[in-house]
Amino acid sequence: MDALGSLLYEVRSEGALFSRNHLAPPWAVRFADRAPLTLITLLRGSGLVDPGGEEAPVALGPGDVAVVVGPEPFSVSDEDGLEATPLYVREGPDRCTTADGEEISEDVVLGLRMCGNSVDGPTVLLTGSYRVGGRVSERLLSALPRVLVVRHEGAPGPILELTAAEIGRDDPGQQAVLDRLLDLLLLSTLREWFGRPEADPPGWYRALGDPVAGRALRLIHDRPAQRWTVAALAEEAGVSRATLARRFTDLVGEPPMAYLTGWRLALAADLLARTDATVEAIARQVGYGSAFGLSVAFQRVYGTRPSHHRAPAAA
């Protein structure tokens, strides 16, 4: 598995919150649920994503997919709705309110996972919120801009069409189906965006195309527990230690052993938070010879001991 695959594999939805919104102008919807990732797309019509702060609104057309990164509140609206009172504010997974904090009226709820101000409105907005967390996910999120857009020139793809159909269903296992559809939408969007010329991908992504640095990255992600050295990675890549160290550092932005340490500790942090495995077992799983070795590295990088990191997660 390559570096992108490893990071994307850890970004998986559980309890995806989908909403289909049928809207007539002027309209605005505000998101204040502090989701780390929100996927926005228009099945019909056009709109603007206003990320807040000093960033300018980003235009969306039919079929375009936007990913909004970070927990800060943002809004989606049509041009006339930029200054309008939001139709509703999403405050959490199970809570939508008016702009004044009151419960939304029944007029806004149009059906299962469906809201809006007009069933026959010219705009259909689809949203999906991700509840992701952990150090591995942070490595991906830190590589993304506040708003990224993949444009599809007016034609929603088959994944979007399937998602739109599934949102209105309530069959057995429906949540699991929606979770996997949101995964597929997000992963396909990120993969396409990383490959576009307007994107500014992180060093590790650019390095994947290099036969030397890319080979070392894949080895690190595939086998983090192996006792890697620069010499061992260089031998696998078929180059000298000096060549590997120089190419890897130039492309990735940090030396091979520094990257390996960061990846191991991110994996360890997530295993501590998500499993009941002992610190000793996790240490060996991610490439440390003992719990003590992991603890020393963990405290140096994260400023806390592994057991202290686990306690808040468990709570």
Side-chain angles (χ1 to χ4, degrees):
M1 187 179 297
D2 59 38
L4 179 61
S6 298
L7 292 169
L8 293 181
Y9 184 76
E10 293 297 326
V11 181
R12 286 170 287 177
S13 177
E14 293 181 7
L17 180 62
F18 268 114
S19 176
R20 178 171 175 148
N21 307 268
H22 290 246
L23 302 158
W27 59 269
V29 178
R30 186 158 178 79
F31 296 82
D33 56 356
R34 304 194 64 78
L37 281 175
T38 306
L39 187 140
I40 306 288
T41 187
L42 287 161
L43 301 178
R44 190 169 70 227
S46 60
L48 299 167
V49 177
D50 184 359
E54 298 181 358
E55 294 191 46
V58 179
L60 290 182
D64 294 346
V65 179
V67 176
V68 183
V69 180
E72 296 80 10
F74 67 95
S75 299
V76 185
S77 69
D78 66 354
E79 288 191 9
D80 296 328
L82 273 174
E83 304 298 328
T85 300
L87 180 66
Y88 69 82
V89 179
R90 178 178 289 172
E91 298 284 359
D94 300 307
R95 178 171 167 76
C96 289
T97 69
T98 67
D100 298 327
E102 303 293 330
E103 293 296 325
I104 58 174
S105 68
E106 293 183 359
D107 294 340
V108 176
V109 181
L110 304 179
L112 179 64
R113 304 185 189 92
M114 187 182 300
C115 295
N117 59 3
S118 173
V119 174
D120 300 318
T123 301
V124 178
L125 170 70
L126 194 69
T127 70
S129 293
Y130 251 94
R131 298 287 160 187
V132 298
R135 296 291 182 173
V136 171
S137 295
E138 286 177 10
R139 293 171 74 89
L140 174 62
L141 298 185
S142 65
L144 303 178
R146 169 66 166 157
V147 181
L148 66 89
V149 178
V150 171
R151 305 198 181 277
H152 291 289
E153 300 177 353
I159 301 174
L160 279 179
E161 293 177 350
L162 178 59
T163 303
E166 289 290 340
I167 285 175
R169 300 176 64 176
D170 194 24
D171 297 337
Q174 194 65 29
Q175 187 60 58
V177 172
L178 292 176
D179 284 342
R180 299 293 75 78
L181 283 171
L182 184 54
D183 288 342
L184 189 55
L185 275 171
L186 178 68
L187 302 189
S188 60
T189 298
L190 291 181
R191 184 176 64 177
E192 187 170 350
W193 181 79
F194 273 128
R196 293 200 169 189
E198 67 268 23
D200 183 21
W204 52 259
Y205 182 83
R206 293 192 297 270
L208 289 173
D210 183 79
V212 174
R215 171 66 174 158
L217 273 171
R218 290 179 177 88
L219 290 168
I220 287 171
H221 280 255
D222 285 346
R223 291 181 264 164
Q226 188 155 327
R227 294 183 179 275
W228 291 117
T229 62
V230 175
L233 288 169
E235 183 178 357
E236 291 278 358
V239 295
S240 69
R241 286 181 296 176
T243 298
L244 173 69
R246 183 179 63 254
R247 291 272 284 277
F248 194 101
T249 303
D250 288 346
L251 290 170
V252 179
E254 59 182 331
M257 292 299 101
Y259 185 91
L260 173 62
T261 297
W263 180 242
R264 283 173 168 171
L265 292 177
L267 291 173
D270 285 1
L271 288 169
L272 286 163
R274 297 174 184 172
T275 75
D276 295 327
T278 65
V279 176
E280 183 76 26
I282 290 172
R284 297 188 182 282
Q285 187 173 339
V286 301
Y288 286 89
S290 66
F292 177 76
L294 172 61
S295 184
V296 170
F298 204 91
Q299 187 151 2
R300 183 179 69 248
V301 173
Y302 294 141
T304 187
R305 291 160 55 188
S307 57
H308 292 170
H309 175 81
R310 166 172 274 168

